[in-house]
Amino acid sequence: MAGLYTQQDTAKYAELWASLPAYGVHAPGLDVLPVFQSVAPAPASVLDAGAGSGQASVALRDAGYDVTLCDLTPEGLCAEARTLPFHTACLWKPLRSQVRKGRFDYVYCVDVLEHIPPQFTMLAIDQMLAVATKGVFLGIALVPDQFGVWMGGPLHLCVQPFTWWRDCLRELGTVVEARDLLHRGLYMVTR
């Protein structure tokens, strides 16, 4: 069943990036970069998990981080992000076998988990924790998306309140940072 979701999601997001350029104009990962820098200062190695357009990856690189990207598809990557190491990966499958480097100081994952089918969200976080030696930084939308209407269904498949995410994360590791920004929750989790 997980393989079916992976194929469907890869096709859906490849089509989204190709047919709706406005989807990549705003990069939520850029908005929360200062918070990440305050809890995970450079230099450090970072896996940008679910990199999307790669705009945040480029900003991380420019801020002194050694950045590797992964996502279901490279279709949305901006030109500058295409110069960075990229791996096609499904976040709820073992990341060590999908991303050649295998271990990173941090995993940076913003505006991704709400897109994952609910039954795979905690498995995805567990896989990220398995490759992060210092922590996993998560930015999770707490509200429905605005682009799903163009694709025939919601893109945010797992919309839950801030406290739901925080409590579930506590079952997987130690939540060392949790900020409720009303429309987005920010979390730093360690093993």
Side-chain angles (χ1 to χ4, degrees):
M1 184 191 266
L4 176 62
Y5 278 112
T6 304
Q7 292 170 349
Q8 290 173 343
D9 285 348
T10 300
K12 175 173 69 175
Y13 284 97
E15 179 185 345
L16 177 66
W17 287 110
S19 64
L20 196 58
Y23 184 66
V25 171
H26 178 73
L30 289 174
D31 298 341
V32 299
L33 187 59
V35 178
F36 175 72
Q37 290 174 292
S38 72
V39 296
S45 61
V46 174
L47 174 64
D48 187 350
S53 70
Q55 292 177 58
S57 304
V58 171
L60 284 163
R61 181 208 56 204
D62 293 348
Y65 296 91
D66 175 19
V67 183
T68 300
L69 296 71
C70 73
D71 208 328
L72 286 172
T73 176
E75 292 298 319
L77 292 176
C78 65
E80 198 168 358
R82 291 182 183 272
T83 65
L84 298 171
F86 176 87
H87 301 274
T88 300
C90 173
L91 296 182
W92 59 81
K93 295 181 179 177
L95 287 171
R96 282 191 189 168
S97 62
Q98 298 179 85
V99 180
R100 287 184 204 102
K101 186 173 179 179
R103 298 285 282 172
F104 301 87
D105 294 323
Y106 297 99
V107 173
Y108 187 78
C109 184
V110 177
D111 194 34
V112 176
L113 288 169
E114 64 275 10
H115 292 261
I116 294 176
Q119 64 269 36
F120 300 125
T121 56
M122 294 305 127
L123 182 55
I125 296 165
D126 193 54
Q127 295 301 328
M128 288 183 249
L129 284 165
V131 299
T133 60
K134 295 183 179 178
V136 174
F137 181 82
L138 304 168
I140 306 169
L142 308 175
V143 296
D145 67 272
Q146 299 174 355
F147 285 96
V149 66
W150 302 104
M151 298 304 294
L155 298 178
H156 289 184
L157 304 175
C158 191
V159 177
Q160 297 292 339
F162 171 83
T163 53
W164 182 89
W165 286 102
R166 184 200 60 211
D167 295 347
C168 287
L169 292 169
R170 286 179 175 161
E171 293 181 21
L172 295 175
T174 302
V175 177
V176 295
E177 182 78 28
R179 299 183 189 192
D180 185 351
L181 305 181
L182 299 181
H183 68 288
R184 177 183 295 133
L186 300 181
Y187 311 88
M188 176 65 90
V189 186
T190 62
R191 276 278 191 218

